[in-house]
Amino acid sequence: MRTLTIPMTPIVTILCVLSISTIPNLVLSFTTAPSISNTRTQRGRAVVGRQYCTSPHPSYCSYSTSLRSTEQRLEEEETITSTTSIAVERPIIHWTVPIQKIGWQDEDTGIWYDEDGPRKGPPQNYWRQNLDQRAYQLDMDLVTQALRDDSDGGIDTKLDGASKEVEGKNSVRRPSRHRNLLGKWAPIYLAGSKVAISSPNDSKPVDDNDSVGSTIEVPLTIDIFRTAGRKLAPKNHYGVFDASLAEGEEVTMKTSDGAIDTTVCASEANDPVALGKVTVAGSDCALQLGGVTYVSDYLLVQRNEEGRLSDIWLRCDDAYLGKNVEE
């Protein structure tokens, strides 16, 4: 069975709903929207996979699946309709300084190491590496807690408090127009209900003290991408990434089950906009865009009009890694 690789791009704010389509098999063509490299099927699951370069650090790669041409992406794209769940993996860490050697210190001997062996002291950019690691761990701790949460599918005060801690520590300006909003997302919580589980077939824990596996099963994925086609920001010292969304710029939001395929306008107002409903385990869940309280390389958090935690989505593409060479 062949399954689809749906595009994914980071996204931002959304105000005016221009059009909502609930036609199950409607496929919208679009330009250079990021995608993952392949999707395979295992026992009724669509397993999202990625291609990696041979470098020990993915951010060194000159090739990113999310920066492929429209023709390459469309050749691989099919609609995921025959699978009961989609298995995704936690995103890999994004190192801000792409050429740095990752260093660590042996707690017992105090000796510093990198990929080449022992070294004299920490790497030059160790402070930046440390910030990247802490930001990543903060997001993944929230993912782990969300997957462990067992409050009848809803959001309890403990999870809400953990989310507020993340929202308060690494906030960005204009989250509804930030480039990280674009991309492909796997919902862990959707409209206040838990819809994801740690895969029962995954025996590899995130760490030795963690019973939550690295693979996560979700009922659908959500794509957010520029309607007019991908737009990249000028190259900087850290690579090439998507440009931030402009006020009023059209963005398309599309679910892998075909229930939602709609265009909205990015807005700094960041007001929650209802886009329609998707069916999860026989229940209707409202899908919104806006009310973004946190967006990073790895997570998207949204709250509803009452300020209640509504969505926790995990990134499942590699657009956030960018590209580190000239095209």
Side-chain angles (χ1 to χ4, degrees):
M1 177 187 301
R2 296 183 63 195
T3 52
L4 136 84
T5 300
I6 304 179
M8 187 154 205
T9 335
I11 178 171
V12 204
T13 320
I14 307 98
L15 238 188
C16 59
V17 177
L18 301 180
S19 64
I20 296 181
S21 171
T22 55
I23 302 175
N25 295 319
L26 177 63
V27 178
L28 180 69
S29 64
F30 51 91
T31 305
T32 58
S35 70
I36 46 183
S37 61
N38 59 68
T39 305
R40 62 188 186 280
T41 302
Q42 287 184 355
R43 298 182 182 178
R45 302 184 304 164
V47 183
V48 174
R50 286 194 289 265
Q51 293 179 351
Y52 297 96
C53 65
T54 56
S55 167
H57 304 300
S59 58
Y60 290 6
C61 297
S62 61
Y63 171 85
S64 170
T65 59
S66 63
L67 295 178
R68 303 155 105 177
S69 69
T70 305
E71 291 75 14
Q72 287 174 310
R73 184 194 56 72
L74 290 176
E75 285 178 1
E76 296 179 352
E77 184 172 309
E78 298 172 8
T79 305
I80 300 176
T81 57
S82 59
T83 55
T84 57
S85 64
I86 301 171
V88 302
E89 295 183 352
R90 300 187 187 216
I92 56 178
I93 192 168
H94 177 204
W95 303 110
T96 301
V97 182
I99 61 173
Q100 71 181 12
K101 285 189 177 181
I102 306 306
W104 63 93
Q105 186 178 34
D106 187 292
E107 295 182 356
D108 296 327
T109 64
I111 298 176
W112 283 88
Y113 295 87
D114 60 26
E115 60 186 24
D116 297 325
R119 56 175 296 126
K120 296 180 179 180
Q124 181 178 0
N125 292 305
Y126 181 69
W127 66 272
R128 181 69 257 184
Q129 173 194 321
N130 196 26
L131 287 177
D132 291 341
Q133 289 172 319
R134 281 188 288 176
Y136 179 83
Q137 193 60 52
L138 186 68
D139 282 10
M140 292 306 107
D141 285 347
L142 180 60
V143 170
T144 298
Q145 184 162 342
L147 290 169
R148 282 177 172 168
D149 186 60
D150 191 22
S151 54
D152 297 325
I155 296 174
D156 62 13
T157 55
K158 186 176 180 181
L159 179 59
D160 184 67
S163 180
K164 286 180 178 177
E165 180 181 358
V166 172
E167 294 167 69
K169 281 189 176 180
N170 291 321
S171 60
V172 297
R173 293 184 61 194
R174 304 184 182 92
S176 58
R177 288 175 44 200
H178 196 275
R179 65 176 175 81
N180 277 338
L181 189 60
L182 301 166
K184 179 172 288 186
W185 302 95
I188 298 175
Y189 272 82
L190 182 63
S193 297
K194 184 178 179 181
V195 297
I197 60 171
S198 179
S199 174
N201 298 322
D202 178 25
S203 59
K204 182 178 67 175
V206 174
D207 57 55
D208 293 339
N209 299 317
D210 194 352
S211 60
V212 175
S214 61
T215 303
I216 300 163
E217 291 192 10
V218 297
L220 52 83
T221 57
I222 302 164
D223 256 308
I224 303 171
F225 55 91
R226 280 183 162 92
T227 306
R230 193 170 194 188
K231 179 181 178 182
L232 299 177
K235 177 179 172 64
N236 58 34
H237 293 298
Y238 307 120
V240 179
F241 302 93
D242 286 278
S244 296
L245 291 167
E247 183 72 17
E249 186 173 2
E250 291 185 8
V251 176
T252 297
M253 190 164 182
K254 184 177 179 181
T255 57
S256 61
D257 63 355
I260 302 292
D261 189 341
T262 182
T263 302
V264 297
C265 294
S267 171
E268 189 173 343
N270 199 20
D271 296 326
V273 176
L275 303 178
K277 293 184 178 181
V278 294
T279 301
V280 177
S283 300
D284 289 338
C285 293
L287 187 65
Q288 75 174 50
L289 191 56
V292 180
T293 54
Y294 180 72
V295 62
S296 71
D297 284 339
Y298 320 109
L299 281 183
L300 173 62
V301 177
Q302 297 189 120
R303 292 182 177 269
N304 61 22
E305 293 178 346
E306 289 76 39
R308 293 176 183 153
L309 183 59
S310 175
D311 303 311
I312 300 176
W313 299 352
L314 179 70
R315 182 176 296 283
C316 57
D317 73 347
D318 63 359
Y320 68 106
L321 294 176
K323 188 172 183 177
N324 298 305
V325 297
E326 297 288 351
E327 295 191 87

